[in-house]
Amino acid sequence: LTGILAGSASGGKLPMQLIYQGLTDQVHPPADLINACDPRPNVTHSKSHWSTLATMLEYIKEVLVPYVKRVKELRGWPEFQRSLLLFDAYAVHRQAEFLDALYATNLFVIRFVPATGT
């Protein structure tokens, strides 16, 4: 099991992404257990339980974008205002397809923390 955790500079906690090992949704915990969590985590799977391009693309769609849109709406910020994302140097975070998906949302400025800084 891998858990992806993220927080905001203002102290907000984004929903976790839980990555289970397996090839189908059958490896996920029961829905009532997941639904009891607040905030509800994004539950997914990969062959090895590691974060992959597919799980990170799901993370953008299911966690990052909804969180940022909700915060902007609550604070009355304009839609064109971008949010800063800081990522470590994990290989998936540097893949062109992942970065392209983030840039396509037009919501983020992306920066990387050097490998020696995490």
Side-chain angles (χ1 to χ4, degrees):
L1 174 67
T2 296
I4 306 295
L5 306 172
S8 71
S10 63
K13 296 175 188 156
L14 282 71
M16 280 192 300
Q17 183 181 57
L18 300 174
I19 307 169
Y20 286 85
Q21 183 174 3
L23 301 177
T24 70
D25 291 355
Q26 298 226 329
V27 299
H28 298 188
D32 59 334
L33 181 64
I34 296 304
N35 292 332
C37 298
D38 185 27
R40 185 182 183 283
N42 169 248
V43 178
T44 191
H45 55 271
S46 70
K47 184 177 179 181
S48 65
H49 79 75
W50 286 103
S51 180
T52 64
L53 178 59
T55 64
M56 287 306 298
L57 292 173
E58 184 175 335
Y59 187 74
I60 293 169
K61 180 181 173 191
E62 301 295 330
V63 177
L64 286 177
V65 169
Y67 180 84
V68 168
K69 286 184 175 184
R70 188 170 53 251
V71 169
K72 283 183 180 182
E73 185 177 311
L74 288 171
R75 296 182 184 221
W77 292 344
E79 288 205 23
F80 64 83
Q81 184 167 334
R82 294 193 177 171
S83 298
L84 175 64
L85 291 178
L86 297 174
F87 285 105
D88 61 14
Y90 184 56
V92 172
H93 300 158
R94 295 177 283 124
Q95 284 186 357
E97 191 174 345
F98 175 69
L99 294 171
D100 289 346
L102 284 170
Y103 288 127
T105 69
N106 205 32
L107 292 173
F108 304 109
V109 173
I110 302 157
R111 297 291 180 260
F112 293 95
V113 176
T116 57
T118 58

